[in-house]
Amino acid sequence: MKEKRKAVALYSGGLDSTLAIKLIQKQGIEVIAVHFYTGFCITETKRRRGEKKPDGTHYMNPALKYAAKYGFNLEIVDISEDYFDIVTNPKYGYGSNINPCIDCRAFMYKKAKELMDQFGADFIISGEVLNQRPMSQHLKAMKIIEKEAGVEGLVLKPLSAKVLPPTIPEIKGWVDREKLEGIAGRSRKRQLQLAKQLGINEYEQPAGGCCYLTDENFARKYLETIAVENRITREDLYILTIGRHFRLPTGTKVVISRNEGEGNFLKGLKNKYWFFEPIGKGAVAVAKTIEDKPLEEEEIKMIADLVARYCKTDENGKIYIRYSSPEKENIKGLVEGHRMQEEILESWRI
């Protein structure tokens, strides 16, 4: 009797990775879908903060949603703690924004190899398509990634297998190469045909915006932080994913919430940063001074006026704002905030 093989699949929840799993499952191979949480997945980050979509529904991780729908055995692995160095010091540099795609993929393959050993799996599968993305999905980059991760020959890409060199699972006959695909490029015509053939009738539309690191606004705020503060911390990176960002003339950074989920997240930082909240309805804010110096009275007033801009004020544009320092300084107070003039607000916006 033929020995049953097992594979670990990198699973985003997107159509390509769903198709890749289905193609391998059709060959009688057991697949464990693994979804890595880096801290920069837009949908998952918003889900964890309890944010809602414009239509009032909650965000849902597509990997969770479609693994449940299509019956995949799913493992969610949080790699965010180890991911900081990948973002801040990538060996192979960034893409068009702050996306270290080659280093990121190599890191995930290393983690997948550890899981492969843990689960007793024989190889790894990925939904990548040759030449679909410019930085990490051309043949040279794919070879670099696999070499860096120590998984050469072990990563099978079912959607592009016929246009890539044979992998160990194909050479050893664990997988029938003839039943795999030979897709290349950015067209999704063949994927849509396959979806219909394999009974995949619901999937995420490819939007190219699943990762904060590929987002132009995130990249701008990241580079601004480095330029002004000459460093960036792990917590800074996560704060860059939320809120409205402002830089006062004094150098102090202010982040103001845009919704309840972001407000709850910022409230969780009130012991680490200066914190501002209205006596009434409206946004909350945190402030971070250069070199952790105490806020000056003038800065407190500036921030109160900034926050008032996003609060329900009285007929004169006034609202009282409560503020507190980081826990170690134990400074608290109440200040009158007046809705800041738009031109000043925009000159401080990052």
Side-chain angles (χ1 to χ4, degrees), residues 31 39 57 59 65 86 96 107 122 193-194 214 217 222 285 309 317:
V31 178
T57 60
Y59 284 92
K65 178 179 179 180
I86 301 297
S96 56
F107 182 66
D122 302 289
Q193 291 174 345
L194 266 179
T214 65
N217 292 325
Y222 176 96
R309 173 65 180 76

Side-chain angles (χ1 to χ4, degrees), residues 224-254:
E224 192 273 348
T225 301
I226 295 289
V228 175
E229 301 180 26
N230 203 31
R231 67 185 181 116
I232 197 158
T233 66
R234 191 188 308 274
E235 205 155 61
D236 288 334
L237 284 178
Y238 298 141
I239 291 174
L240 292 180
T241 66
I242 68 170
R244 308 170 180 94
H245 289 240
F246 302 90
R247 183 76 67 178
L248 303 187
T250 58
T252 291
K253 171 82 165 285
V254 181

Side-chain angles (χ1 to χ4, degrees), residues 23-34:
L23 286 172
I24 296 304
Q25 285 182 328
K26 277 191 73 178
Q27 297 203 28
I29 293 166
E30 181 183 347
V31 178
I32 300 166
V34 176

Side-chain angles (χ1 to χ4, degrees), residues 154-166:
L154 288 172
V155 181
L156 175 62
K157 302 174 176 70
L159 295 182
S160 292
K162 290 181 179 177
V163 290
L164 292 170

